[in-house]
Amino acid sequence: MTDRLTPLQLMEKLISFPTVSRDTNIPLIDWVADYLDSHGIESHRYIDPEQPKHALFAHVGPWEEGAIVLSGHTDVVPVDGQPWDTDPFSVVERDGKYYGRGTCDMKGFDALALWALVEAHHAGVSRPLQIALSFDEEVGCTGAPPMIRAMQPVLPKGSAVIVGEPSRLQAVTGHKGGIGFDTHLIGFEVHSSMLHKGVNAIMAGAKLIEWANGINTENMEAKPTSLAAMFDPPFTTLHVGMISGGTAHNITAKDCRFAMDFRVVPGEDKDAWATSYLKKVREVEEQMQSVVPEARIDISERFDVPALQPEDEGAAETLVRQITGDNASHKVSYGTEAGQFQEAGYSAVICGPGSIDQAHQPNEFIEVSQFEAGHDFMKKLVARLGA
């Protein structure tokens, strides 16, 4: 039987796999499956049919419903162009911090969850524990829904999910939902001196972006609902972070591409926001086609992440508060897989070590003290399951 690795040893191993979202995560999943198997723990996979990505889930303890599910993702964001002082895919301890891509977001938690699963198995807990490791969280939480569906007929249904995104081990009980659209405007090229005979896709796209600016201003000035007021900012936001297109400065742009993303406060309808955007898209498209009928705008959904709705005495929140002693109210504006588990019928909460401020940053780190506090959390969780 393989030795039981420490949380630090597990984190070092996980981070050594460069599982950037654009690349495969299969070598990491293979290693995790082998490690669990060496301890007599059977794991199961969801295999993506379209790309080399696997999700993994496993169950220890009595084969019955009511498990606590520890949920993490295996993908990380790229390091390209970031000024790292150390090897991003090695854990380096310095000045009370563990540096490395994923130490904070969120292979640190994944390592703690694996440690807890193995410890719970060997302890012979009386209440089951599960782990769920997804992929493609960083590109829109697209890997968790099929994984959750695959878990249903294979494992007994869990009762509470702890999603270990970095929250400084605070119980986060709500987050915004999100929906995003890849937007491709196809115009018509002419010399810019005769622009009235062409369709400039970039300038047409600017109308959609300016519409988003106007909506943001309206939302910012409106009085928030009591639920929205719990978030920072307390309103739904629209955002375009990258744009590309055009051939030359003196040619009307034939193409313009960008993603329009919405972060929607709980209580508001994501589909209504999508309908509003598509209505504006068709309005701009009609203007383009009035000049050149062949011009058009192609839209495809990039991601759709449900909000995490605060629960009334939810099982996941109650458990985390009992372990941490944290009774304050915490909400976040970023999206996670917690809302997807909740939508599938699980009670869900966010609680993980580290600060979201470090996520995606060059020289990403988790404080040693936070990692050790996460270890203490898992020790208490395993002890509760064995009681």
Side-chain angles (χ1 to χ4, degrees), residues 173-210:
T173 58
H175 68 62
K176 291 184 178 181
I179 191 166
F181 297 95
D182 284 324
T183 305
H184 180 197
L185 296 95
I186 299 94
F188 186 78
E189 290 181 318
V190 297
H191 193 279
S192 59
S193 65
M194 301 294 289
L195 63 83
H196 66 294
K197 295 184 178 181
V199 175
N200 189 315
I202 291 176
M203 296 184 74
K207 295 179 181 179
L208 296 175
I209 296 173
E210 184 53 28

Side-chain angles (χ1 to χ4, degrees), residues 279-298:
K279 179 180 178 181
K280 185 64 181 180
V281 165
R282 296 310 162 214
E283 176 186 318
V284 173
E285 185 180 58
E286 288 178 4
Q287 295 169 3
M288 297 166 64
Q289 291 175 343
S290 69
V291 180
V292 176
E294 293 78 17
R296 69 182 193 276
I297 304 176
D298 293 339

Side-chain angles (χ1 to χ4, degrees), residues 140-153:
C141 295
T142 57
M147 176 191 71
I148 295 169
R149 289 192 295 270
M151 290 170 63
Q152 305 299 311

Side-chain angles (χ1 to χ4, degrees), residues 66-120:
I68 306 303
V69 185
L70 300 176
S71 165
H73 60 81
T74 60
D75 59 317
V76 296
V77 297
V79 299
D80 309 40
Q82 291 188 333
W84 281 76
D85 297 329
T86 61
D87 177 0
F89 299 107
S90 296
V91 176
V92 176
E93 181 179 358
R94 189 178 65 217
D95 300 326
K97 302 178 178 72
Y98 292 127
Y99 290 88
R101 174 58 86 220
T103 50
C104 174
D105 183 21
M106 61 180 302
K107 290 180 178 178
F109 177 84
D110 294 346
L112 293 166
L114 282 170
W115 178 88
L117 194 76
V118 171
E119 291 301 310

